[in-house]
Amino acid sequence: MELFVELSEQLGEIALKSEDVIASAESCTAGGIACAITQTAGSSQWFDRGFVTYSNQSKEDLLGVRHETLQKFGAVSKETAEEMVCGALARSQATIAVAVTGIAGPGGAVPGKPVGTVFMAWCRKGQLPVVERHQFSGDRNAVRESTIEAALLGLKKLMLNTIGSK
């Protein structure tokens, strides 16, 4: 997690300026985003909570992801990532959230969703979510690290856009 200290510090500076509070909803990273963010001392001022929802049931219970969404589209999908990020905002004090769900490997690939497939969603309270599909390469750790980095960079981008619009 030392990789992300500088990025976490940048997020903290931006969050304090934009008056944002962050939440994360994580599946394939298993809390890695929250861990990266909280590397920065004082992050409790701008990080509310992280949801680790590795199982489908936990996505339903903790984030309100609909059972029908998981059945129809699967845990690794645009639709699930979108419901995860909305659930994180609804069940926290956060003003902005990120959600990730993917296949870190080495197993778990299905047709159309190879290992390294990750869906990420970012959302600001009161706005529509932004969802992206990524295809990362490498082993399990590489996929997870790439996911964490992309998630943090997406938060940074969304918060910087807010500062510019105020």
Side-chain angles (χ1 to χ4, degrees), residues 23 84-97 123-126:
M84 287 173 68
V85 78
C86 291
L89 281 172
R91 291 165 168 80
S92 72
Q93 302 302 309
T95 59
I96 192 168
C123 191
R124 171 172 299 291
K125 201 166 255 187

Side-chain angles (χ1 to χ4, degrees), residues 21-137:
V21 176
I22 300 168
S24 65
E26 306 180 57
S27 187
C28 62
T29 51
I33 295 167
C35 183
I37 288 172
T38 58
Q39 293 295 308
T40 300
S43 56
S44 61
Q45 294 177 33
W46 48 272
F47 182 73
D48 181 49
R49 68 189 74 185
F51 298 89
V52 178
T53 55
Y54 218 68
S55 70
N56 285 355
Q57 190 64 53
S58 67
K59 288 173 181 64
E60 291 180 43
D61 293 347
L62 297 176
L63 298 171
V65 174
R66 293 178 301 134
H67 183 76
E68 298 77 22
T69 300
L70 294 164
Q71 290 298 304
K72 185 174 181 180
F73 301 105
V76 180
S77 65
K78 171 189 181 292
E79 294 79 6
T80 296
E82 191 171 286
E83 288 186 27
M84 287 173 68
V85 78
C86 291
L89 281 172
R91 291 165 168 80
S92 72
Q93 302 302 309
T95 59
I96 192 168
V98 60
V100 297
T101 183
I103 305 166
V110 296
K113 296 178 187 174
V115 169
T117 302
V118 178
F119 287 88
M120 296 182 195
W122 300 268
C123 191
R124 171 172 299 291
K125 201 166 255 187
Q127 296 182 0
L128 294 175
V130 174
V131 183
E132 293 178 358
R133 178 186 174 138
H134 291 261
Q135 187 62 52
F136 297 116
S137 59

